[in-house]
């Protein structure tokens, strides 16, 4: 099944048409930078996406969201200490005000890293032809770089450093080109933290959040202790169903939900959804956005797997589809984001380096309207403060000084091909080893997860044993472990507690284990299923 392709980006939304004439290209980045003032990269320097993005002529301004922000968010004031940092750029100023330690006492003179040189990205190629990059303590003063240990390891602003914020702002404009004027980016310490902060900006105890009926565990586990209930929206092979979303909201009955008001916050993972692996088509995303407009929803678009959109799955021993031949072709193969459709400023997009660089960096960014980003910053100032300085230094050296936007897209294309091979491997193994009598699946188009349906109603003598779906699910889970394979129960991902649903699924991942181990693990799972369902070992699975 082929990934959904990007439709014509000139499609008209409900009220306005996005203007694309001033879209930034990879080749246009250096020209824009050459005309801009030199980046102000001192300690705790002020930074804003407005310093780096295009003017957005002809685009509308975002709507205001005062009626959606909660009292906690609206009551936050700017940090007095962070605000005083704006004076540090004044020539000749002697600061006795802020509690900034002297870099003399940072026990790091320099940091050396070795990174791949595009297009030679493999571990072995990096060992033999990688580029050594040195991060010194006083590179700015010595004219060697615009970012160094002296600045990067000191306190900074909640937006993140200007040096990294510039790169992610340009990247966002190249890839998504938000169709309203006053969008901003802000670095964060990873999407889990950003999601927690977003929840605390919008909802309060007694509210409900809308999400896919099977959702990212952490997303639900973050909001439930706040006294907020998750409401699951039904799904199909393209993810969240807009018709059911509309029906839920149109017929909302507070008395059926502990007197909760009609929900207005939607959390969704549009690409390679965790756990189901589904990817919303462009048409589906437009339909969801129209429902959001109708009911005045605010959308949290969590997209860690956006760049893990893969090549079409063609089946075992079939010829591979040629990879994208250029950056432009690659970007056209990506299903346009909700952010790229957002003429109202009703989307907060959560991006992350966790799945495309390394999760331990704990660095990502949000994109939203100026009003929402400003509220997000106020929260960050008194909690996370800013992403790790070491992480920002490493990302700057890799993405900005070494690869640039061109090299980063080369890396993302290479990742696409690697994950396509891994996806093909697990799908081929399922087709070979899983019993088709009780299993079915759809090859994932993006992400890291393969979602397998098990027809639990074919459990032997179930009418006599009267085992529940959860009991049979646990029996399969334990049997797989006995055979030497660990999988995840689908029930762990149910949005609504106490509702196991009427179907059974298991989540598998193809992201980390070697190809031969994945095949062996699927074979063991097949053996466990055949034993439980009393099936002939000669039958093989298939793709439905």
């Amino acid at each position: 099944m082929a990934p959904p392709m990007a439709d014509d980006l000139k499609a008209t939304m409900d009220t306005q048409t996005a203007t694309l004439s001033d879209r930034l290209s990879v080749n246009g980045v250096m020209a824009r930078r050459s005309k801009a003032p030199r980046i102000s990269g001192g300690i705790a320097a002020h930074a804003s996406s407005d310093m780096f993005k295009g003017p957005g002529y002809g685009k509308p301004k975002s709507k205001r969201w005062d009626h959606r922000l909660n009292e906690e968010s609206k009551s936050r004031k700017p940090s007095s200490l962070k605000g005083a940092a704006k004076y540090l750029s004044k020539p000749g100023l002697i600061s006795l005000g802020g509690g900034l330690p002297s870099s003399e006492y940072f026990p790091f003179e320099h940091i050396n890293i070795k990174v791949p040189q595009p297009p030679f990205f493999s571990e072995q190629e990096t060992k033999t032809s990688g580029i050594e990059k040195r991060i010194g303590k006083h590179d700015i003063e010595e004219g060697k770089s615009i970012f160094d240990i002296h600045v990067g390891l000191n306190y900074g602003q909640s937006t993140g450093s200007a040096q990294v914020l510039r790169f992610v702002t340009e990247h966002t404009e190249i890839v998504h080109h938000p169709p309203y004027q006053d969008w901003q980016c802000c670095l964060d310490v990873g999407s889990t933290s950003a999601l927690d902060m977003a929840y605390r900006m919008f909802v309060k105890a007694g509210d409900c959040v809308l999400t896919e009926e099977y959702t990212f565990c952490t997303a639900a586990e973050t909001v439930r202790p706040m006294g907020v209930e998750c409401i699951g929206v039904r799904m199909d092979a393209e993810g969240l169903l807009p018709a059911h979303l509309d029906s839920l909201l149109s017929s909302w009955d507070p008395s059926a939900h502990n007197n909760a008001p009609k929900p207005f916050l939607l959390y969704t993972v549009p690409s390679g959804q965790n756990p189901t692996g589904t990817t919303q088509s462009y048409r589906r995303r437009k339909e969801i956005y129209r429902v959001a407009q109708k009911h005045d929803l605010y959308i949290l678009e969590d997209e860690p797997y956006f760049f893990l959109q893969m090549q079409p799955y063609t089946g075992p021993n079939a010829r591979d589809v040629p990879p994208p031949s250029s950056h432009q072709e690659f970007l056209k193969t990506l299903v346009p984001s909700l952010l790229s459709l957002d003429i109202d400023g009703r989307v907060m997009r959560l991006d992350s380096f966790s799945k495309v660089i390394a999760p331990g960096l704990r660095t990502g960014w949000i994109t939203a309207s100026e009003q929402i980003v400003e509220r997000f910053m106020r929260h960050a100032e008194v909690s996370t403060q800013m992403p790790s300085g070491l992480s920002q230094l490493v990302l700057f050296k890799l993405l900005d000084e070494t690869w640039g936007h061109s090299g980063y897209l080369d890396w993302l294309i290479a990742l696409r091909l690697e994950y396509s091979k891994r996806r093909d491997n697990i799908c081929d193994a399922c087709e070979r080893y899983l019993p088709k009598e009780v299993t079915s699946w759809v090859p994932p188009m993006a992400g890291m997860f393969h979602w397998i349906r098990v027809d639990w109603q074919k459990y032997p003598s179930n009418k006599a044993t009267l085992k529940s779906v959860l009991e049979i699910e646990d029996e399969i889970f334990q049997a797989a472990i006995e055979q030497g394979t660990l999988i995840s129960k689908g029930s762990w991902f149910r949005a609504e507690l106490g509702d196991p649903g009427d179907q059974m699924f298991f989540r598998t991942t193809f992201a980390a284990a070697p190809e031969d181990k994945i095949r062996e693990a699927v074979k063991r799972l097949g053996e466990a299923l055949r034993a439980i369902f009393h099936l002939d070992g000669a039958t093989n699975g298939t793709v439905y």
Side-chain angles (χ1 to χ4, degrees):
M1 184 181 294
M5 299 298 290
D7 292 3
D8 181 5
L9 285 179
K10 295 181 180 178
T12 302
M13 295 300 294
D14 287 349
T15 57
Q16 302 187 45
T17 301
T19 301
L20 300 181
S21 58
D22 62 341
R23 185 163 193 157
L24 181 64
S25 68
V26 171
N27 293 333
V29 169
M30 296 314 296
R32 177 182 289 180
R33 288 187 181 185
S34 68
K35 298 175 183 177
R38 180 175 173 80
I39 195 169
S40 176
I43 294 174
H46 167 75
S48 164
S49 289
D50 284 339
M51 300 161 60
F52 312 120
K53 68 180 191 178
Y57 297 128
K59 295 180 180 180
K61 285 228 172 184
S62 66
K63 296 180 182 296
R64 296 283 301 180
W65 299 101
D66 305 79
H67 63 299
R68 294 310 192 197
L69 292 167
N70 62 25
E71 290 305 313
E72 177 185 348
S73 181
K74 287 191 283 190
S75 67
R76 292 190 184 278
K77 306 298 182 185
S79 165
S80 302
L81 293 174
K82 295 287 185 185
K86 65 185 178 183
Y87 300 110
L88 293 175
S89 60
K90 182 178 180 180
L93 183 77
I94 299 174
S95 175
L96 302 180
L100 303 173
S102 170
S103 65
E104 291 180 68
Y105 309 118
F106 297 171
F108 309 99
E109 179 57 31
H110 63 264
I111 301 167
N112 282 1
I113 60 174
K114 190 173 185 179
V115 299
Q117 179 176 344
F120 308 108
F121 292 120
S122 72
E123 281 192 344
Q124 186 56 44
E125 288 170 326
T126 303
K127 287 180 182 178
T128 58
S129 63
I131 303 171
E132 295 273 0
K133 301 296 291 187
R134 179 186 176 96
I135 306 168
K137 181 176 280 189
H138 298 291
D139 285 350
I140 298 175
E141 182 181 339
E142 295 168 3
K144 297 177 180 178
S145 178
I146 61 170
F147 204 21
D148 60 14
I149 291 173
H150 168 72
V151 170
L153 296 195
N154 220 311
Y155 287 111
Q157 296 293 336
S158 56
T159 54
S161 67
Q163 295 86 342
V164 180
L165 182 65
R166 178 176 69 176
F167 187 90
V168 302
T169 299
E170 293 166 346
H171 174 78
T172 299
E173 190 171 355
I174 290 168
V175 177
H176 307 289
H177 194 66
Y180 64 95
Q181 284 185 34
D182 50 327
W183 61 273
Q184 299 274 340
C185 296
C186 179
L187 298 186
D188 57 51
V189 299
S191 292
T192 301
S193 170
L195 180 60
D196 175 70
M197 292 165 66
Y199 282 151
R200 291 186 60 182
M201 288 169 59
F202 289 105
V203 294
K204 61 185 184 302
D207 284 343
C208 295
V209 170
L210 299 155
T211 186
E212 290 92 347
E213 61 180 324
Y214 291 92
T215 190
F216 177 39
C217 293
T218 301
E221 291 164 356
T222 298
V223 78
R224 285 176 187 141
M226 299 179 188
V228 175
E229 180 183 355
C230 291
I231 303 297
V233 181
R234 292 175 195 151
M235 306 173 70
D236 65 6
E238 290 188 18
L240 185 149
L241 284 165
H244 187 239
L245 176 64
D246 186 26
S247 175
L248 270 175
L249 293 166
S250 298
S251 61
W252 184 260
D253 179 6
S255 65
H257 298 281
N258 296 318
N259 293 317
K262 179 179 172 180
F264 64 86
L265 191 65
L266 171 64
Y267 170 80
T268 183
V269 182
S271 306
Q273 197 256 359
N274 185 0
T276 67
T278 57
T279 295
Q280 298 168 10
S281 67
Y282 185 38
R283 181 182 300 277
R284 177 63 58 86
R285 296 180 198 213
K286 289 191 290 185
E287 291 170 349
I288 291 169
Y289 191 82
R290 289 190 181 104
V291 174
Q293 288 182 312
K294 176 181 176 180
H295 294 279
D296 198 23
L297 302 182
Y298 194 87
I299 302 172
L300 302 179
E301 179 186 25
D302 191 4
E303 277 283 40
Y305 313 107
F306 182 77
F307 286 108
L308 300 186
Q309 295 182 46
M310 295 173 281
Q311 298 289 96
Y313 179 68
T314 54
N317 304 316
R319 181 178 299 178
D320 291 337
V321 174
S325 60
S326 66
H327 298 147
Q328 185 177 15
E329 184 180 334
F330 169 60
L331 292 175
K332 284 183 177 179
T333 67
L334 302 174
V335 184
S337 62
L338 288 166
L339 175 65
S340 73
L341 303 174
D342 183 21
I343 59 172
D344 299 332
R346 67 173 65 252
V347 174
M348 177 193 286
R349 180 180 171 87
L350 287 73
D351 276 289
S352 175
F353 290 115
S354 291
K355 303 303 189 292
V356 295
I357 301 293
L361 290 169
R362 302 316 306 144
T363 306
W365 73 98
I366 65 159
T367 306
S369 66
E370 182 178 23
Q371 179 194 19
I372 297 302
V373 168
E374 188 272 339
R375 291 291 88 196
F376 186 91
M377 289 167 54
R378 299 290 83 83
H379 191 152
E381 284 173 346
V382 294
S383 55
T384 58
Q385 292 215 12
M386 65 178 207
S388 160
L390 278 173
S391 295
Q392 292 189 72
L393 283 166
V394 168
L395 284 167
F396 173 77
K397 283 292 177 181
L398 174 68
L399 298 176
D400 200 289
E401 280 199 359
T402 307
W403 286 355
H405 290 282
S406 177
Y408 185 42
L409 291 181
D410 288 340
W411 168 255
L412 295 173
I413 292 170
L415 274 186
R416 174 194 183 102
L417 300 180
E418 289 298 314
Y419 273 87
S420 295
K421 292 176 186 176
R422 286 179 166 273
R423 183 272 318 274
D424 292 352
N425 179 55
I426 197 169
C427 287
D428 292 352
C430 287
E431 187 162 339
R432 180 175 181 182
Y433 295 119
L434 295 189
K436 66 181 181 180
E437 295 92 337
V438 296
T439 60
S440 59
W441 60 89
V442 174
M445 302 172 185
M448 297 179 165
F449 306 111
H450 186 40
W451 189 239
I452 300 170
R453 178 179 175 271
V454 175
D455 189 352
W456 65 275
Q457 292 179 334
K458 293 182 179 179
Y459 184 82
S461 304
N462 192 39
K463 290 182 180 179
T465 59
L466 296 179
K467 283 190 175 182
S468 69
V469 61
L470 293 180
E471 289 172 324
I472 298 172
E473 179 191 51
D474 187 64
E475 184 178 346
I476 295 171
F477 176 75
Q478 296 295 340
I481 291 176
E482 284 294 316
Q483 290 285 348
T485 293
L486 178 63
I487 53 179
S488 296
K489 296 180 182 180
S491 62
W492 293 344
F493 303 94
R494 291 290 294 178
E496 298 186 27
L497 292 176
D499 177 14
D502 58 2
Q503 297 191 77
M504 182 187 297
F505 297 94
F506 290 91
R507 193 194 76 173
T508 62
T509 180
F510 48 88
E515 288 189 4
D516 60 331
K517 298 295 186 183
I518 288 175
R519 290 193 295 271
E520 178 61 26
V522 172
K523 182 180 179 182
R524 294 172 182 178
L525 174 59
E527 292 168 353
L529 287 168
R530 287 191 180 89
I532 287 173
F533 286 91
H534 302 170
L535 298 173
D536 183 353
T539 58
N540 293 327
T542 189
V543 177
Y544 289 179

